[in-house]
Amino acid sequence: MTLPVGCFFAPRSFLHLGILYIASSLRKAGHDVKVFDCHALTEWDAKNQKLIIHKEKLEECDVVGISATTANCEWGKMLAKAWPAKYKVLGGTHATYILDGPHERFKKPHYFENFDYIMTQECEESFVSFCDAVDKGIEPRNKLLPAIPSLHWFFGDKHCQTEKGPQPDVTKLPIPAFDLWPGGFGGGGLSVVSNTAGVINLNEAMTASLFNVRGCPFGCNFCADRRTKIREETYEQVEAQCKMLAELGVTCIRIQDDVLTIKAAHCRRVSDILHSYGMKWRGNTRVNLTDPTLFKYMEQHGCIELGFGCEHGSDMMLKLMGKGTVAAKNTEGIKMCQEAGMVAKAFLMIGFPGETWETVREMERWVLAAKPNMVAVCLFQPFPGSDVWNHPENYGVTLPENAFDRFWQQGLDDDPRALVLDLPSMTKAELIAARKEFGEFIDTNVGHRDRTRVDAGTPGLGTFGSSSMDAV
């Protein structure tokens, strides 16, 4: 689900791939499966600041699985309470990094209210085992030989769990059930409005997302996916996904891999597959994984945009973040992408511990010098699983209680509730002012933050959001 401020116009272009992988595995195992886009089941009452759930759209079922991120987990709890299902199960990154994480004080039932079970880690196989047990009339926590892995529940205040299972072999998984995504795919996921790149109007082009590699070996201190094993799907799987999406009318692809260019040969092969289906596409990478020859090859095979996790223009902040890069390298990556003929998008972050007015000024100077075509500005949040979450004492911060519904990275620019940390280097009032000023700086000097819808060539009519909550 998206941020409740009315600034995101097309959240459905960011479908939840994890849900579609699980739906496909369930279907392969013989279960009846239906996928729900939770945007269609709810709406946000901005005046009264509350979520409205259309209960008449909630279908009775044996098991409902809801995947939620940290910021919308509270909404997931509300949806679970209303859903007429025998078993209500929560999964996703938030549940995983809380229940498999180091802080016992967050492993409390009120954080998972209205859910019968919680499943952690990747659940393509374990959720199938859960549903198999339900079909056989077995209470899931009582299933033995083997037990359902990575299953959690509460008896009163007591947290109970089975042993963590291995991650699935991605080369053996069925491709995501794109055909089960309700209502088709939205457009505009690759549209661009930029002061330097001009207008790329793909507003009516059906856009979908695709994974072909899971994991990231790098150690950014703000990221929960840090130092995780690279696991590649086969080229046959990638081609099967492209084929299905093309048959469904999709012409644009957002590749969601963390580091698309980490293996040049693999990236070239994926580029070939996408190009063979006539796809326009974008991806993400790091500025230390740049290669002008590879970039040109990607551009010639349909890639129109690369996003770089630049994060900051201050070398001091980049060091604190554990990026392993410097501002000059950020500039080099941006320029190399532009010289290859692609739009260069910089992901920047404000409010990481150590931020000061001077580092914000450094970031502004970097933007003016590097001239990225697009910029997404995120407020740092101490997401569960990140090093800041795991070891807050190393960063001079304290993790707040009962604040997950305020862990929004974008939007709410003037709302102090979005600032969940007290930084030792800036007051909250200073950070609010700096965040607002920097956002307006980007709007003026680069173009509207994040991705702007193109309507008759007019910029500034809305932006995309990417925080998902969906159900299967």
Side-chain angles (χ1 to χ4, degrees), residues 203-406:
N203 215 42
E204 304 307 320
M206 289 176 62
T207 307
S209 298
L210 183 150
F211 261 128
N212 69 89
V213 177
R214 303 185 189 187
C216 177
F218 297 95
C220 302
N221 294 328
F222 53 81
C223 183
D225 201 29
R226 65 198 303 265
R227 297 197 175 103
T228 48
K229 182 181 179 182
I230 291 288
R231 296 145 67 212
E232 300 173 353
E233 295 185 3
T234 66
Y235 298 124
E236 290 76 17
Q237 287 171 299
V238 176
E239 180 154 11
Q241 292 181 62
C242 288
K243 182 176 185 293
M244 177 182 285
L245 289 170
E247 290 172 349
L248 292 171
V250 170
T251 58
C252 293
I253 296 288
R254 300 173 59 88
I255 297 181
Q256 304 291 16
D257 303 4
D258 288 329
V259 280
L260 175 62
T261 63
I262 193 167
K263 295 182 179 180
H266 179 85
C267 184
R268 287 174 185 268
R269 182 69 181 275
V270 171
S271 299
D272 291 341
I273 294 170
L274 291 163
H275 185 62
S276 70
Y277 286 90
M279 297 291 181
K280 291 182 172 62
W281 52 282
R282 72 169 307 282
N284 299 310
T285 192
R286 289 172 53 97
V287 297
N288 60 329
L289 299 175
T290 52
D291 176 345
T293 304
L294 175 61
F295 280 11
K296 191 61 184 177
Y297 190 89
M298 294 164 65
E299 188 274 334
Q300 292 172 341
H301 288 73
C303 185
I304 64 173
E305 176 193 320
L306 269 182
F308 295 89
C310 297
E311 313 307 347
H312 217 286
S314 162
D315 286 346
M316 182 191 81
M317 291 304 300
L318 290 170
K319 185 175 182 179
L320 290 173
M321 292 176 179
K323 277 298 296 184
T325 57
V326 294
K329 192 66 177 176
N330 286 344
T331 303
E332 181 183 319
I334 293 292
K335 300 297 185 187
M336 190 181 298
C337 175
Q338 292 169 335
E339 289 168 0
M342 294 181 289
V343 171
K345 181 174 183 177
F347 290 92
L348 299 178
M349 183 180 297
I350 191 168
F352 190 85
E355 191 82 86
T356 65
W357 272 111
E358 177 51 34
T359 59
V360 174
R361 298 285 181 255
E362 283 187 79
M363 187 154 53
E364 291 175 348
R365 292 193 290 271
W366 177 82
V367 169
L368 292 176
K371 296 181 174 60
N373 303 117
M374 301 173 67
V375 169
V377 182
C378 294
L379 173 68
F380 169 73
Q381 300 288 11
F383 284 118
S386 69
D387 195 62
V388 180
W389 173 269
N390 291 339
H391 305 286
E393 67 281 0
N394 293 344
Y395 300 87
V397 297
T398 300
L399 300 176
E401 301 275 359
N402 302 311
F404 292 135
D405 61 332
R406 297 188 281 124

